[in-house]
Amino acid sequence: MAAVWAAFVGAGAGLARGDSVAARGLGSHAHPMCFATVAPAAQPVQARAQSAAATLVTPAAAAAPTRFARPALAGASVSRVLMWFQADLRVEDNDALAAAAAAARAPGGALVPVYSARMAMRTGAAQELRASLQRAGSDVVAVANTGAQQLGERLLEIARELQLQAVFYNRAALPDDAREQRVVLSVLERAGIQARAYWGNALCEPPPTEQQQLCASALAKYVAAPRAVRAPRAAEKRLPALSNAARQMADAASDAALTPKTGCGASVGARLLQELTARDQALRVTVAGAGGADVALKFKAALDSGAISLRACYARVCELLENKPRGYLFSELVFRSYACCILQRSAARSAAPAH
């Protein structure tokens, strides 16, 4: 596997521009799903990379402290956690939530889930997330989102009022979400709130190849290998209960912020995954071949909101296709993971001090 990663060249170029999957080298099974604009095929890779960097780097972001490049305070004691849900609206296979719950179980710990309602299309998934958290003994504080700076200030208010030490979150896989993360985390970190990032929106964590850029086709080969992607994590059945103050905050804020209900949530995602368990030859041919474009498109809304994880989809694709993942849906999962990796590295480079 190391040899595959060491061979990475070329680029995460079209990511922030919004190139289609087909334009980014995932082969004949690519489908322009999550980013619709197709870049000209003749546009040089280097030019697309420069454009992507320009899209992601703003003066405010360039002046912000490093957030993604460094380890998240390894060894520091944290037990009072704000779990920031953004585009990972699920309790199943959620790396940041699992880590936050584990930290909060320490004596004196606290776990306060917060959802920032920036996109109306995610409110349906957020409502189902709230129901899942309530079944596990918790709840979510859903706050209005009028801009990244204002959101950062609101999360800081919550952290201070409830005496929280850190924010846990999953790294973004969409450019707008990544920009929002940089601004929000800058506000929190300047105030002394620690930030811990997880790979819950990717198939796997990329090996440290900092001197080279990722290549989507090489990533596809990597994740298709046995045991490259771990099995999806089971849902947290019991979460630390909210304090009275946090529960009052959730009751006061959430109902208004989670209306109207639009978009699909975990229940729709579970149904879509269940449809992939049929072991008939016709379905295998559809998913692996040209008909897989329609199958992949059905998953778009659930993947955009994070109502289902990439690893859960990947596990079903592998099961259906007898551990030989391929087709449009597999390509979409690869590119979303690739996008998460490229955005993380772009953020690290833009925040690094100039030498």
Side-chain angles (χ1 to χ4, degrees):
M1 249 352 91
V4 174
W5 282 95
F8 278 160
V9 293
L15 162 64
R17 291 177 54 85
D19 297 359
S20 74
V21 177
R24 292 177 299 247
L26 290 185
S28 60
H29 295 303
H31 185 256
M33 240 176 69
C34 60
F35 303 103
T37 306
V38 180
Q43 187 180 19
V45 166
Q46 182 179 2
R48 301 210 318 267
Q50 292 171 346
S51 177
T55 303
L56 288 170
V57 179
T58 64
T66 302
R67 284 171 291 281
F68 296 120
R70 64 172 181 260
L73 295 166
S77 176
V78 167
S79 62
R80 301 187 62 82
V81 179
L82 186 156
M83 170 61 208
W84 179 21
F85 287 96
Q86 189 190 40
D88 50 351
L89 305 181
R90 61 185 185 275
V91 296
E92 297 84 0
D93 197 33
N94 190 316
D95 294 358
L97 177 60
R105 292 188 179 104
L111 170 62
V112 181
V114 176
Y115 166 64
S116 53
R118 179 173 63 86
M119 298 177 64
M121 62 172 287
R122 291 175 179 169
T123 55
Q127 286 182 327
E128 291 200 37
L129 169 68
R130 186 184 191 191
S132 297
L133 290 170
Q134 289 174 337
R135 286 193 295 271
S138 185
D139 205 335
V140 65
V141 179
V143 299
N145 188 341
T146 58
Q149 181 68 28
Q150 292 79 4
L151 174 61
E153 293 168 357
R154 178 60 183 135
L155 296 188
L156 180 57
E157 290 176 2
I158 294 172
R160 284 174 169 168
E161 183 174 345
L162 300 178
Q163 299 180 333
L164 305 177
Q165 302 164 292
V167 56
F168 285 32
Y169 66 99
N170 289 302
R171 292 178 172 90
L174 296 174
D176 286 346
D177 290 337
R179 280 188 285 268
E180 181 180 72
Q181 283 186 354
R182 289 201 301 276
V183 175
V184 168
L185 295 174
S186 176
V187 172
L188 294 174
E189 288 189 320
R190 283 199 302 266
I193 304 298
Q194 302 176 19
R196 296 195 175 182
Y198 296 86
W199 292 98
N201 289 327
L203 287 170
C204 58
E205 178 178 353
T209 54
E210 296 299 331
Q211 301 305 314
Q212 298 174 345
Q213 289 184 313
L214 297 179
C215 170
S217 58
L219 178 59
K221 294 178 182 178
Y222 178 80
V223 300
R227 294 179 295 279
V229 179
R230 67 163 175 79
R233 188 189 304 272
E236 295 288 327
K237 294 183 178 179
R238 199 68 190 167
L239 294 169
L242 296 180
S243 66
N244 289 335
R247 188 164 294 282
Q248 290 173 4
M249 193 179 293
D251 291 341
S254 295
D255 290 338
L258 292 180
T259 56
K261 179 178 179 179
T262 59
C264 69
S267 62
V268 175
R271 176 178 57 78
L272 291 171
L273 290 177
Q274 185 62 35
E275 291 176 359
L276 289 182
T277 60
R279 290 181 171 275
D280 61 275
Q281 181 62 26
L283 181 59
R284 281 198 289 270
V285 171
T286 298
V287 171
D294 291 334
V295 175
L297 192 58
K298 291 179 181 179
F299 281 83
K300 182 183 187 306
L303 291 172
D304 284 346
S305 65
I308 52 177
S309 74
L310 300 190
R311 287 184 291 251
C313 287
Y314 175 84
R316 294 300 175 89
V317 169
C318 288
E319 179 184 7
L320 180 67
L321 301 181
E322 300 174 333
N323 292 318
K324 296 178 181 178
R326 57 197 185 277
Y328 285 89
L329 181 55
F330 172 65
S331 294
E332 188 63 28
L333 300 178
V334 168
F335 183 71
R336 286 174 184 264
S337 185
Y338 167 69
C340 188
C341 298
I342 291 297
L343 285 169
Q344 182 268 328
R345 292 192 176 185
S346 297
R349 285 193 291 269
S350 68
H355 295 291

